[in-house]
Amino acid sequence: QVRLVESGGGLVQPGGSLRLSCAASGSIISITAMGWFRQAPGKERELVATITSGGSTYYEDSVKGRFTISRDNAKNTVSLQMNTLKPEDTAVYYCNADLLVKDYSDYVAYWGQGTQVAVSS
């Protein structure tokens, strides 16, 4: 069974930092893009950052210069270092990865279960 498992969420004061991690496991043959999305209460899920297998990154404008995405291809993990957090960063953060898994012929998007990030004083 293929799984994406996130960790690292929590409560932090404005200006603080958190690091989210996500590990993909199971019968994985290959991973292309990995990324992080978030969904705040009453809002649609939005893309935060992505990283390709070659290391190319994309950031949503509001997190540029504050968040850094990285991955370890050998361990099938992706991380999101979040600095200078703001109350508007409060959301459930979801890990996403495009995986080619055993017995399938195409890449499929998989999601983690989500981890809560709350920024409040």
Side-chain angles (χ1 to χ4, degrees):
Q1 182 180 2
V2 176
R3 298 178 64 196
L4 297 181
V5 179
E6 300 119 333
S7 61
L11 173 64
V12 64
Q13 292 186 343
S17 297
L18 281 174
R19 184 176 180 85
L20 305 182
S21 296
C22 173
S25 63
S27 302
I28 299 170
I29 298 171
S30 178
I31 304 176
T32 55
M34 302 185 81
W36 292 91
F37 288 70
R38 67 186 179 186
Q39 187 166 19
K43 295 187 177 182
E44 293 186 354
R45 189 174 298 188
E46 65 173 0
L47 175 64
V48 176
T50 61
I51 184 167
T52 68
S53 57
S56 297
T57 58
Y58 165 85
Y59 296 95
E60 192 269 330
D61 285 346
S62 69
V63 308
K64 285 181 181 177
R66 300 188 298 121
F67 291 11
T68 302
I69 190 170
S70 60
R71 66 187 280 176
D72 185 328
N73 291 330
K75 296 181 179 179
N76 291 341
T77 60
V78 62
S79 298
L80 186 69
Q81 177 65 42
M82 304 185 294
N83 298 328
T84 319
L85 282 160
K86 304 176 181 180
E88 51 263 43
D89 295 317
T90 295
V92 177
Y93 284 70
Y94 296 91
C95 174
N96 169 269
D98 292 334
L99 309 178
L100 179 64
V101 302
K102 183 181 178 182
D103 297 331
Y104 285 80
S105 60
D106 205 353
Y107 287 85
V108 176
Y110 284 80
W111 294 88
Q113 79 284 359
T115 185
Q116 178 71 52
V117 171
V119 185
S120 175
S121 55

